[in-house]
Amino acid sequence: MPSYLGAIGTANPAHCIAQPQIADFMAQALQFDEGDTRKLRALYRVSGIAQRYSVLPDYGRANGEYTFFPNTIGLEPFPSVGQRMAVYRREALPLAVEAVRNSLLQVPDVAPDSITHLVTVSCTGMYAPGLDIELVQALGLRADVRRTCVNFMGCYAAVNAVKLADAFCQADARARVLIVSVELCTLHFQKSREEDHLVSNALFGDGAAACLVQAGPLPNGTPSLALQGFHCGLEPDGHDDMAWHINDFGFEMSLSSYVPKLIQRGIRKLTDGLLASLPVQLSDIHHFAIHPGGRKILETIETELGLTRDHNRHAYRVLRDYGNMSSATVLFVLRDVLAAATPADHGAPVLSFAFGPGLTMEAMLLEISVNNYHSTLNKQKEEAKQQDALTVSAPSLELLNAD
């Protein structure tokens, strides 16, 4: 029997900053001349991103108004890892709690003390006692909830969290797993003119996502996704093309322009490996939840798998409105897939991909489950109509009984 994923809640920080504003901040911070500034703005224009969210307001401000970075030429002294982690520790918990509450609002019958497992996901900050323990206390989870932390795996980590949740549910039908991903990528701006860093600075934003996974459909027919299969691929040639290192001034992301070519080389093999043991062919799939690591990655996958831009519409929308939020991003895309599902989509397969350091490529196949939800809604509407009819007919009964 499959496990079910649903009740996907999301949250973003208060500061929503337009992509051109961020480009201006970067040009000023890097002390670019007019020519380099023009090239940088062009990079931001073609990114497919309109805006991003950050826990730091500085990216939308001019030098002299910063609250985190120094108000100096060149932002010196540049913030250390310790300063960045202090912000992470302050901001990660409230953002994660908001995402969880948005998740649990969709399943009001699920009490926090019914959650048996908690899986936290992040690659942008760490401390101990950590986010997992703070969430137990903030949400009122049981002290004996089984906690697992998935750290420093990058953009594909949420898929590994879903794999873990599925394994817990397959081992124990009573398991109810809460997955919480929180990423504060914008804490790790690197003041470097290297191409990798310029590209990274143009893509990443902050966000959190939470969801439930359990052995059967979610309560009250809540729309969900049945987990059908997983497959992982590695392209070792990309070991240095996508990497994530802790250095003196934050976490440094290496993201070379060669990554789309590596994905192009491996995406068909990854898809075939996933579907080989499943009764589904690629031609049967019309719903996709692809991690929008960047516009070029989405376009490359479309070319290799014969997809249209419409197949990828949810990924493009998330990229446009939020940028790349590392591990949380694919859950944002799955949220939109579920939100757009109709009764006609019940039972339809969904193909999902995510990518990260290694170069790692993760794939999972899910199946839309919405029939119970719409049946429940129809039943509730019918019950409401019957109640209205009884209310309307009450005065008539009094008249019939009158002398």
Side-chain angles (χ1 to χ4, degrees):
M1 293 290 292
S3 306
Y4 289 78
L5 181 158
I8 304 173
T10 61
N12 296 95
H15 307 295
C16 178
I17 307 169
Q19 189 77 328
Q21 283 183 282
I22 303 174
D24 289 342
F25 168 91
M26 295 295 175
Q28 186 178 52
L30 296 169
Q31 299 175 266
F32 274 180
D33 61 21
E34 185 177 345
D36 286 336
T37 297
R38 187 166 57 250
K39 293 175 184 176
L40 188 71
R41 286 173 177 161
L43 171 66
Y44 278 60
R45 278 198 304 273
V46 300
S47 66
I49 300 170
Q51 62 186 29
R52 288 180 275 163
Y53 290 81
S54 176
V55 294
L56 303 175
D58 294 5
Y59 294 108
R61 296 178 175 178
N63 199 320
E65 302 173 346
Y66 300 152
T67 59
F68 177 70
F69 295 105
N71 286 286
T72 60
I73 295 174
L75 308 184
E76 293 296 339
F78 205 45
S80 66
V81 172
Q83 290 172 294
R84 297 169 197 250
M85 289 301 93
V87 177
Y88 180 91
R89 184 165 187 173
R90 184 182 74 233
E91 301 287 349
L93 178 65
L95 196 64
V97 167
E98 183 182 351
V100 173
R101 288 181 175 157
N102 288 335
S103 168
L104 296 182
L105 281 173
Q106 301 171 46
V107 280
D109 291 343
V110 173
D113 63 5
S114 71
I115 293 167
T116 60
H117 297 70
L118 171 65
V119 181
T120 55
V121 185
S122 189
C123 69
T124 50
M126 290 174 283
Y127 56 95
L131 181 65
D132 56 330
I133 291 176
E134 292 183 346
L135 280 170
V136 169
Q137 296 168 335
L139 298 170
L141 305 183
R142 296 197 327 238
D144 65 347
V145 68
R146 300 180 185 182
R147 295 176 283 117
T148 305
C149 301
V150 178
N151 294 125
F152 222 67
M153 299 188 81
C155 297
Y156 68 89
V159 177
N160 269 343
V162 173
K163 285 182 181 179
L164 279 171
D166 180 55
F168 295 149
C169 293
Q170 295 299 330
D172 183 355
R174 298 166 299 177
R176 175 173 280 161
V177 187
L178 175 63
I179 296 174
V180 186
S181 166
V182 57
E183 302 287 14
L184 306 185
C185 305
T186 65
L187 291 179
H188 299 292
F189 158 56
Q190 295 299 303
K191 196 182 62 173
S192 166
R193 295 178 176 228
E194 292 182 16
E195 182 181 3
D196 287 6
H197 292 146
L198 294 179
V199 172
S200 297
N201 292 337
L203 292 176
F204 287 95
D206 299 347
C211 64
L212 288 176
V213 178
Q214 64 179 44
L218 271 62
N220 298 323
T222 302
S224 56
L225 296 160
L227 306 177
Q228 301 295 321
F230 303 92
H231 190 69
C232 178
L234 280 173
E235 286 291 333
D237 289 349
H239 182 272
D240 297 324
D241 291 283
M242 188 184 290
W244 193 224
H245 302 286
I246 299 176
N247 285 321
D248 294 339
F249 301 102
F251 301 175
E252 288 191 21
M253 165 63 79
S254 297
L255 188 63
S256 83
S257 58
Y258 193 57
V259 168
K261 292 183 175 65
L262 291 165
I263 292 175
Q264 179 183 33
R265 195 167 71 189
I267 196 68
R268 171 64 71 168
K269 180 180 177 182
L270 180 73
T271 305
D272 292 344
L274 172 68
L275 301 181
S277 59
L278 297 170
V280 176
Q281 297 180 4
L282 181 59
S283 58
D284 300 324
I285 303 173
H286 305 290
H287 300 274
F288 296 84
I290 299 174
H291 167 68
R295 180 183 58 83
K296 184 65 175 176
I297 288 174
L298 295 177
E299 292 173 349
T300 296
I301 294 172
E302 288 167 8
T303 299
E304 287 305 297
L305 299 185
L307 310 184
T308 66
R309 187 180 177 89
D310 187 62
H311 283 130
N312 256 341
R313 64 189 180 280
H314 302 301
Y316 280 116
R317 193 195 77 79
V318 169
L319 181 66
R320 181 194 70 202
D321 293 345
Y322 304 98
N324 181 344
M325 299 168 287
S326 192
S327 67
T329 319
V330 74
L331 293 176
F332 274 68
V333 181
L334 288 169
R335 174 203 65 183
D336 286 4
V337 170
L338 267 183
T342 69
D345 296 317
H346 182 76
V350 179
L351 182 56
S352 182
F353 300 121
F355 316 97
L359 178 92
T360 303
M361 297 187 290
E362 290 278 0
M364 57 182 176
L365 188 74
L366 313 97
E367 185 179 281
I368 295 172
S369 177
V370 291
N371 262 7
N372 290 338
Y373 173 63
H374 291 282
S375 297
T376 301
L377 282 183
N378 291 335
K379 182 179 179 181
Q380 291 172 344
K381 289 177 182 177
E382 188 60 34
E383 289 174 350
K385 286 181 182 178
Q386 292 174 0
Q387 187 61 42
D388 290 343
L390 288 172
T391 302
V392 171
S393 62
S396 303
L397 291 173
E398 291 177 5
L399 290 172
L400 287 173
N401 293 327
D403 291 335

